[in-house]
Amino acid sequence: MSKQQLPIIDAGVNVADAACCAPLLCEPLSESEAAELAPLFKAIADPVRLRLLSLIACHEDGEACVCDLTVAFDLTPPTISHHLKVLKQAGLIDSERRGTWVYYWINPGMLERLSVVLGPRVAETA
Amino acid sequence: MSKQQLPIIDAGVNVADAACCAPLLCEPLSESEAAELAPLFKAIADPVRLRLLSLIACHEDGEACVCDLTVAFDLTPPTISHHLKVLKQAGLIDSERRGTWVYYWINPGMLERLSVVLGPRVAETA
DNA sequence: TCCACATATAGATCTCTGTCAAATTAGAGC
DNA sequence: GCTCTAATTTGACAGAGATCTATATGTGGA
């Protein structure tokens, strides 16, 4: 299955630092932090991919077959496949083939990381 | 000053809905919600713009002169100016001229909106 | 084995975007 | 008014990206 799905990221933002406020607002992002985060944001910076992400997350059992997704758009299957690949390469989703169909699900840690960068973290059972 | 800075967005995501979990994960994003959110994410989906945002937010008094920003990058002034314009058009920052210099500051509401879409909201003094 | 169906890949095309150099606008001070 | 500096606009160009058609791969059933 070639080299398509190396989940690139371990973006250098550590959750402890986020206790006070959004890391982005606490202290200047380093060049390398920015370089790691930008591709993640780029992956979700597309209306089709945002909806794909949402459709997958909200689908029964938290996973969806490509066929479920394709029908929700006015786009060809290759295009949907392309967008899914982009999301997967960013580490935001994962997939598995089961018989004829391929199922995708969300990697929630990735979304949370982005959320943390932008805003204050949820109080840990404060 | 032409038409550059209409803050486009009032992305149809309402904070009340976010009480349980990230809107993105609660129910499928509508086509129009996705269309409004994607440009916002696109604005921050660039390493230079992420750092600009962060530099501005962390600068003294929460605002920074363009001259402070330009020196932090290995890019020409027109390029920095371009990125600032993108951020401003997205409504993420605002600016004002004071004498010779132009100052930029963060519009915190915008960042928070994006954070809310991706992750659970901070407990309101739970 | 062969066919039908579900996905993915390859290649082409058109559009969008990041960057720079050059020219322009805006203030401040002489 | 002139000139210096700060910042933006314009125009050009190269690289990235979204989409399609055509083709390939993989799986299950006749």
Side-chain angles (χ1 to χ4, degrees), chain A residues 39-120:
Chain A
L40 275 180
F41 284 116
K42 199 163 288 187
I44 63 171
D46 178 280
V48 173
R49 292 197 289 268
L50 272 177
R51 286 185 62 215
L52 279 172
L53 223 43
S54 189
L55 283 168
I56 293 170
C58 303
H59 204 265
E60 201 175 347
D61 295 322
E63 59 179 27
C65 167
V66 176
C67 56
D68 296 324
L69 302 171
T70 304
V71 299
F73 297 87
D74 200 20
L75 294 169
T76 63
T79 299
I80 299 300
S81 196
H82 161 71
H83 286 300
L84 289 170
K85 186 174 173 179
V86 171
L87 289 170
K88 185 166 179 177
Q89 284 181 318
L92 289 159
I93 59 177
D94 231 322
S95 70
E96 181 186 24
R97 167 161 228 140
R98 286 188 215 130
T100 308
W101 297 280
V102 176
Y103 290 86
Y104 282 84
W105 60 89
I106 296 277
N107 177 352
M110 269 332 207
L111 271 190
E112 183 177 323
R113 168 170 298 152
L114 291 183
S115 170
V116 169
V117 170
L118 295 180

Side-chain angles (χ1 to χ4, degrees), chain B residues 42 46 49 75-76 78-79 82-83 97 99-100:
Chain B
K42 199 163 287 186
D46 178 279
R49 292 198 290 269
L75 294 170
T76 63
T79 300
H82 161 70
H83 286 299
R97 167 160 227 138
T100 309

Side-chain angles (χ1 to χ4, degrees), chain B residues 6-112:
Chain B
L6 324 164
I8 326 159
I9 309 286
D10 189 11
V13 174
N14 106 37
V15 177
D17 292 345
C20 60
C21 69
L24 193 79
L25 310 175
C26 278
E27 57 177 326
L29 228 49
S30 75
E31 210 162 330
S32 69
E33 283 166 339
E36 289 177 65
L37 288 170
L40 274 180
F41 283 117
K42 199 163 287 186
I44 63 170
D46 178 279
V48 173
R49 292 198 290 269
L50 272 177
R51 286 184 63 214
L52 279 173
L53 224 43
S54 188
L55 283 168
I56 293 170
C58 303
H59 204 265
E60 202 174 348
D61 295 322
E63 59 179 29
C65 167
V66 176
C67 56
D68 296 323
L69 302 171
T70 304
V71 298
F73 297 86
D74 201 19
L75 294 170
T76 63
T79 300
I80 299 299
S81 197
H82 161 70
H83 286 299
L84 289 169
K85 186 175 173 179
V86 170
L87 289 170
K88 185 165 180 178
Q89 285 181 317
L92 289 160
I93 59 178
D94 231 323
S95 70
E96 181 186 24
R97 167 160 227 138
R98 286 189 216 129
T100 309
W101 298 279
V102 176
Y103 290 85
Y104 283 85
W105 59 87
I106 295 277
N107 177 353
M110 271 327 208
L111 271 190
E112 183 177 323

